[in-house]
Amino acid sequence: MKISTKGRYALRMLLDLAEHQGEGFIALKDIANRQQISKKYLEQIVAILNKTDILQTNRGFQGGYKLAKEPAQYTVGSILRQTEGSLSPVACLEQDPTNCSRHSCCATLPVWQGLEQVINEYLDSITLQDILQQLEQSK
């Protein structure tokens, strides 16, 4: 499994919004400048995230984006699933493994299932708030 640039940038964008949540709606150009990510790329990420309840949007002069919920309510796992789709380490786990003709005799299936469980549990245990607190402690 490899997290794409889209997933990594989405996490950075949402973390930036969490860090600046007291400032109201944040313009995409401000996030792009702070994170050194192209605004055009962030627009593609916003298009994906706007299909969910992750962001609030405001158009116009004071327009921009902000988190729809508190940072503690966003896990890294949920963010990455929105942008990456599946976090499965192998393709056969992206769907029901019983659809695989080899599932009943696959000696490695339990290995991949265990790895998937560890990945999901780990990423679902970290929130944006956790990352912010870690950032504050390192300053």
Side-chain angles (χ1 to χ4, degrees), residues 25-29 57-65:
F25 288 93
I26 307 294
L28 215 51
K29 68 179 176 65
T57 306
N58 190 23
R59 296 183 181 204
F61 178 66
Q62 297 293 326
Y65 301 91

Side-chain angles (χ1 to χ4, degrees), residues 55-96:
L55 295 176
Q56 285 185 351
T57 306
N58 190 23
R59 296 183 181 204
F61 178 66
Q62 297 293 326
Y65 301 91
K66 69 179 184 176
L67 297 178
K69 300 180 249 177
E70 293 298 314
Q73 295 180 282
Y74 296 90
T75 67
V76 172
S78 66
I79 294 165
L80 292 177
R81 280 185 211 92
Q82 292 297 325
T83 55
E84 301 292 322
S86 170
L87 297 177
S88 294
V90 292
C92 70
L93 291 178
E94 290 178 357
Q95 299 166 2
D96 186 357

Side-chain angles (χ1 to χ4, degrees), residues 6-16 76 79 128 131:
K6 182 177 17 175
R8 292 189 342 260
Y9 285 5
L11 183 58
R12 285 174 50 192
M13 180 186 125
L14 293 175
L15 191 57
D16 188 282
V76 172
I79 294 165
L128 291 179
I131 298 171

Side-chain angles (χ1 to χ4, degrees), residues 23-47:
E23 300 171 22
F25 288 93
I26 307 294
L28 215 51
K29 68 179 176 65
D30 295 335
I31 299 169
N33 288 335
R34 283 192 295 262
Q35 296 299 317
Q36 298 178 332
I37 301 171
S38 94
K39 183 178 174 235
K40 198 105 175 132
Y41 203 100
L42 288 179
E43 288 170 351
Q44 293 174 25
I45 293 169
V46 164

